[in-house]
């Protein structure tokens, strides 16, 4: 398989990591380099980033996040499986395309990370006011998303949505995580 397709295939949302394996700040800076290279509407580049590798700060960031809403019996990763790094995506308040820019930047971040064997999860379920306080962010910026990072310790697989009950991801008894994706035939509505 071409390398880019292989990376896209394994670029899943990982939510359990080896908490004993640190990431260094230089690695997170590399990820921001990839974010910097992303397309940006009108090239306004409204995004800003906070990078976190400090253990105490990481624990504070973790406390603001909501994990895997569809897994009702799971409250998020246990301490030894929590992320070891975070990138917080912020935007200046004057940009109407910041959400699109954030999507593109996060995809570059996640693909660059997985190319180095580092898994990620984009999180939008955030106690934003609390996280603003923790990071001491002033009112000129909005928090959009958090990207959690670490070396994955879970098996995440794509399955056809036709073989699943619906679109909701699920786990089996061994803890394998399955992500139903729609079939190509259901996505392309016309080929002209
Ligand atoms: C904008 C956005 C917000 C997300 N927010 C959360 C979140 O708050 N918590 C979480 O556990 N996963 C979150 N996810 C991950 C999705 O649940 C995940 O992308 C989806 O289940 C498909 O799995 P996949 O990424 O492995 O393809 C988010 C993903 C995106 C793109």
């Amino acid at each position: 398989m071409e390398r880019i397709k292989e990376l896209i295939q394994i670029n899943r949302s990982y939510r359990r990591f080896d908490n004993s394996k640190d990431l260094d700040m230089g690695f997170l800076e590399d990820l921001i380099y990839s974010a910097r290279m992303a397309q940006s509407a009108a090239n306004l580049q409204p995004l800003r980033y906070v990078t976190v590798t400090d253990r105490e700060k990481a624990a504070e960031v973790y406390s603001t996040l909501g994990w895997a809403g569809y897994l009702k019996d799971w409250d998020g990763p246990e301490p030894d499986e929590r992320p070891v790094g975070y990138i917080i995506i912020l935007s200046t308040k004057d940009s109407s395309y910041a959400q699109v820019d954030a999507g593109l930047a996060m995809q570059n971040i996640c693909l660059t990370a997985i190319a180095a064997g580092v898994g990620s999860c984009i999180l939008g379920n955030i106690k934003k006011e609390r996280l603003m306080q923790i990071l001491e962010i002033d009112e000129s910026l909005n928090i959009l998303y958090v990207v959690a990072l670490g070396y994955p310790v879970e098996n995440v697989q794509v399955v056809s949505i036709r073989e699943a009950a619906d679109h909701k991801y699920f786990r089996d008894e061994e803890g394998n995580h399955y992500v139903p994706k729609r079939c190509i035939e259901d996505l392309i509505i016309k080929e002209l």
Side-chain angles (χ1 to χ4, degrees):
M1 202 192 298
E2 293 161 53
R3 180 70 174 145
I4 187 66
K5 288 189 178 168
E6 186 191 326
L7 290 174
I8 288 168
Q9 185 76 30
I10 61 172
N11 182 35
R12 305 270 55 83
S13 295
Y14 295 96
R15 298 182 179 85
R16 290 183 290 155
F17 307 93
D18 183 344
N19 189 261
S20 69
K21 282 193 189 163
D22 283 325
L23 291 173
D24 63 49
M25 194 52 89
F27 179 72
L28 268 65
E29 283 171 14
D30 273 354
L31 300 183
I32 301 303
Y33 183 87
S34 291
R36 172 176 173 253
M37 288 296 119
Q39 303 91 323
S40 171
N43 206 25
L44 285 172
Q45 302 168 72
L47 303 181
R48 302 291 182 271
Y49 304 93
V50 176
T51 52
V52 178
T53 55
D54 175 79
R55 290 260 163 190
E56 279 178 27
K57 211 36 107 180
E60 288 186 76
V61 173
Y62 176 84
S63 73
T64 69
L65 303 175
W67 293 85
Y70 291 145
L71 304 180
K72 298 295 175 207
D73 299 334
W74 191 66
D75 290 336
E78 297 295 329
D80 62 337
E81 294 187 341
R82 288 186 185 160
V84 292
Y86 294 98
I87 294 175
I88 295 89
I89 322 284
L90 306 109
S91 76
T92 54
K93 288 196 164 165
D94 51 357
S95 170
S96 28
Y97 287 105
Q99 289 283 345
V100 179
D101 280 23
L104 293 163
M106 290 193 292
Q107 190 73 315
N108 281 9
I109 288 171
C110 296
L111 284 171
T112 305
I114 200 65
V118 173
S120 61
C121 185
I122 294 170
L123 293 111
N125 183 357
I126 308 163
K127 291 176 189 145
K128 290 189 181 171
E129 274 183 31
R130 178 78 195 106
L131 189 53
M132 292 281 281
Q133 288 166 354
I134 289 168
L135 303 176
E136 298 178 43
I137 302 296
D138 71 62
E139 295 294 317
S140 67
L141 294 168
N142 282 327
I143 291 174
L144 298 181
Y145 297 101
V146 172
V147 180
L149 296 157
Y151 291 92
V153 291
E154 67 177 348
N155 175 30
V156 179
Q157 264 175 253
V158 169
V159 292
S160 164
I161 202 163
R162 293 184 186 177
E163 288 154 26
D166 54 26
H167 62 282
K168 294 175 187 161
Y169 48 77
F170 57 95
R171 287 187 185 161
D172 66 16
E173 282 164 10
E174 281 87 50
N176 299 303
H177 183 101
Y178 299 95
V179 187
K181 294 284 185 193
R182 295 191 202 286
C183 303
I184 290 279
E185 299 80 6
D186 299 331
L187 293 176
I188 302 174
I189 57 157
K190 276 188 196 181
E191 285 187 320
L192 302 172

